[in-house]
Amino acid sequence: MKIYAVLVIYNQHLSDCPSFYSASKESDVQLLVVDNSTDELFQNQEEARRAGAWFLSMDGNQGLAKAYNAAFDFLRCKNGDWVVLLDDDTEIPKEYWKELQKAKPDSIQLPIVKTIREQMISPAEIRFDLPRPAKELNAIKEITGINSGMAIPKNLTDSYRYDERLFLDFIDHQFLKDMKNKGIKICILPVQLRQRFSADQPEKSAALVRLQIQMHDLSVYYQYAPWKYWYLVIKRKIRLALQLRSPEVLWYG
């Protein structure tokens, strides 16, 4: 079975990415690194080459949707069974690859992803087209999930294009919605990944830039339902204001 793993990296050294280490050690996995870095300090091409990985430079941060489209274009004429999407801050155990080898490539596979605080962030569920954490896996009525560790049958990536108006957020939810509309089955892969977030207390200016990106992407995703956009934006602003202890965040943007 042939597995392609796509790792999009941004202003980080490959040596600091646990998912890079995991995928590069698997003989049945061909890794493709897509580099969105803007800082010349991060020169990852040579490290990717030494690990036997393919490398694509996006010549700056073009966003996640464009990076995934570039990866799918690169892989389109290549034979294989799976395309796995990897985050640079996710720990991938060896059991993940073993379980994926057992799965038949006729459905999308979502692993169980938890934070270091044991909060499950994927799979999640959809209620009224709003994603929310799932309390129990067997209680999910309409499933969704995040990109990290998502395994997609290769034939589906050959014909799919991400909406490049989405820069970073809700790309995963849009993809899974599109797949469900096509009748593609989504299954849970019985293995657990660990997501490492860079900081629980982000630096304010970076957090505001991140909020601006979220607001843009939410406006695209919920262009048909403005109230859902405002519901999530206000919710995220309140959370960030409390996290930063900065009430002025509520009026940002």
Side-chain angles (χ1 to χ4, degrees), residues 64-163:
L64 193 58
K66 286 187 178 181
Y68 281 158
N69 282 340
F72 287 3
D73 288 343
F74 183 88
L75 296 173
R76 183 161 289 117
C77 296
K78 296 175 171 53
N79 295 322
D81 300 286
W82 293 103
V83 174
V84 173
L85 305 182
L86 299 176
D87 280 359
D88 57 15
D89 56 359
T90 307
E91 296 174 3
I92 313 289
K94 194 172 184 64
E95 288 72 25
Y96 171 86
W97 307 108
K98 292 179 180 178
E99 289 295 331
L100 188 58
Q101 289 279 4
K102 298 179 197 175
K104 187 177 179 182
D106 60 357
S107 60
I108 294 168
Q109 299 287 326
L110 293 177
I112 300 164
V113 184
K114 292 186 177 182
T115 67
I116 58 174
R117 296 182 178 180
E118 290 297 317
Q119 177 188 6
M120 185 171 70
I121 54 178
S122 186
E125 61 181 343
I126 293 288
R127 295 280 183 90
F128 307 108
D129 201 21
L130 295 167
R132 53 183 287 177
K135 294 181 180 179
E136 296 181 8
L137 291 175
N138 57 10
I140 298 176
K141 293 182 179 180
E142 184 177 354
I143 194 169
T144 189
I146 64 174
N147 289 315
S148 185
M150 183 191 300
I152 309 167
K154 171 67 169 56
N155 65 299
L156 296 179
T157 68
D158 291 338
S159 58
Y160 188 79
R161 298 289 296 178
Y162 286 90
D163 185 346

Side-chain angles (χ1 to χ4, degrees), residues 157-183:
T157 68
D158 291 338
S159 58
Y160 188 79
R161 298 289 296 178
Y162 286 90
D163 185 346
E164 294 185 354
R165 294 177 301 164
L166 294 170
F167 190 82
L168 183 61
D169 289 296
F170 275 61
I171 291 171
D172 34 25
H173 301 308
Q174 183 64 60
F175 172 78
L176 291 173
K177 180 192 287 188
D178 292 341
M179 292 297 105
K180 283 183 281 189
N181 288 339
K182 291 182 178 181

Side-chain angles (χ1 to χ4, degrees), residues 170-216:
F170 275 61
I171 291 171
D172 34 25
H173 301 308
Q174 183 64 60
F175 172 78
L176 291 173
K177 180 192 287 188
D178 292 341
M179 292 297 105
K180 283 183 281 189
N181 288 339
K182 291 182 178 181
I184 305 300
K185 188 177 180 182
I186 300 171
C187 300
I188 298 174
L189 193 68
V191 64
Q192 188 175 125
L193 312 186
R194 189 72 61 184
Q195 189 90 358
R196 303 188 318 187
F197 293 106
S198 57
D200 290 329
Q201 294 291 333
E203 192 270 329
K204 184 176 179 179
S205 61
L208 292 179
V209 170
R210 183 72 180 86
L211 176 61
Q212 188 175 39
I213 293 172
Q214 290 175 333
M215 292 172 64
H216 168 269

Side-chain angles (χ1 to χ4, degrees), residues 16-17 22 25 28 35 55 78 101 147 152 170 213 228 232 242:
D16 294 330
C17 301
S22 173
K25 296 299 181 183
D28 293 327
D35 200 333
F55 183 87
K78 296 175 171 53
Q101 289 279 4
N147 289 315
I152 309 167
F170 275 61
I213 293 172
K228 295 179 181 179
L232 288 178
L242 292 172

